[in-house]
Amino acid sequence: MPEIPHPTWLECWPPALHDCSFPHRARPCSLGEAHALGRRNGIRIHRFSPDHDASLDALGPALDTELQTLPPGAFVRLGSRSPKDTALALLQRGRAWSGADAVRLLTAGSLRMAVDLDRCVRAGYRPWIYLRAWQALPWHGEFRAFVQGGRVAGISQYFHDN
């Protein structure tokens, strides 16, 4: 099983790499919030304690405060990955306009979120929520960079099959 947190998770990036990336706001969840997000997400619900469901009450407003410091709309994700495997994420392209939108995106029935939240709570690790400044990228303009040993080892178009 990969380590928690994995070095590729956004919260593990060095400041210089963050400086080259999109502006963002980040906050660690409490373990209670991680349990509540996992339960509301609805996948592997038995892995998350119901004792923390009320902890989401303050999460939306806290994310609203963070969103006010970014241009309108933000791409929402955990530090580990995004909930792009849901219909809601496809419809909204992962974009949240409010803290309530962000919570909905993170809890829209994503297997990706269920796996990552479960791994975090089992390890006692507080996952991070990232709100990244929205970038309107055409499908053909999204690339992934691969770094090995502190150097760029390769770059690949994300939608390489089109």
Side-chain angles (χ1 to χ4, degrees):
M1 173 152 313
E3 61 188 274
I4 303 272
H6 193 272
T8 60
W9 292 10
L10 296 181
E11 62 265 31
C12 297
W13 285 13
L17 188 53
H18 277 292
D19 291 345
C20 294
S21 189
F22 303 122
H24 66 273
R25 298 296 173 267
R27 76 180 289 284
C29 293
S30 68
L31 286 176
E33 289 169 336
H35 274 279
L37 287 167
R39 282 183 51 78
R40 189 175 291 176
N41 186 50
I43 296 178
R44 296 185 178 179
I45 193 170
H46 64 286
R47 305 284 288 178
F48 303 99
S49 170
D51 298 339
H52 307 283
D53 288 353
S55 69
L56 286 189
D57 295 345
L59 182 57
L63 295 176
D64 277 330
T65 301
E66 298 293 338
L67 281 166
Q68 291 173 8
T69 66
L70 293 169
F75 183 76
V76 179
R77 58 170 293 152
L78 295 180
S80 55
R81 54 187 169 169
S82 68
K84 65 183 175 185
D85 59 335
T86 68
L88 183 62
L90 289 172
L91 290 170
Q92 291 185 209
R93 297 177 58 203
R95 190 175 192 179
W97 298 94
S98 68
D101 279 348
V103 170
R104 275 191 294 275
L105 281 163
L106 293 169
T107 60
S110 168
L111 179 59
R112 293 160 60 93
M113 295 298 95
V115 167
D116 290 358
L117 290 167
D118 181 42
R119 287 178 54 218
C120 287
V121 300
R122 299 292 153 234
Y125 179 76
R126 297 171 58 192
W128 287 65
I129 295 175
Y130 278 79
L131 305 170
R132 304 190 85 195
W134 183 255
Q135 305 291 319
L137 297 174
W139 66 267
H140 58 275
E142 186 173 353
F143 290 81
R144 297 290 195 243
F146 301 90
V147 178
Q148 186 174 34
R151 300 184 65 162
V152 174
I155 298 174
S156 171
Q157 190 172 23
Y158 186 67
F159 294 103
H160 58 83
D161 54 345
N162 289 318

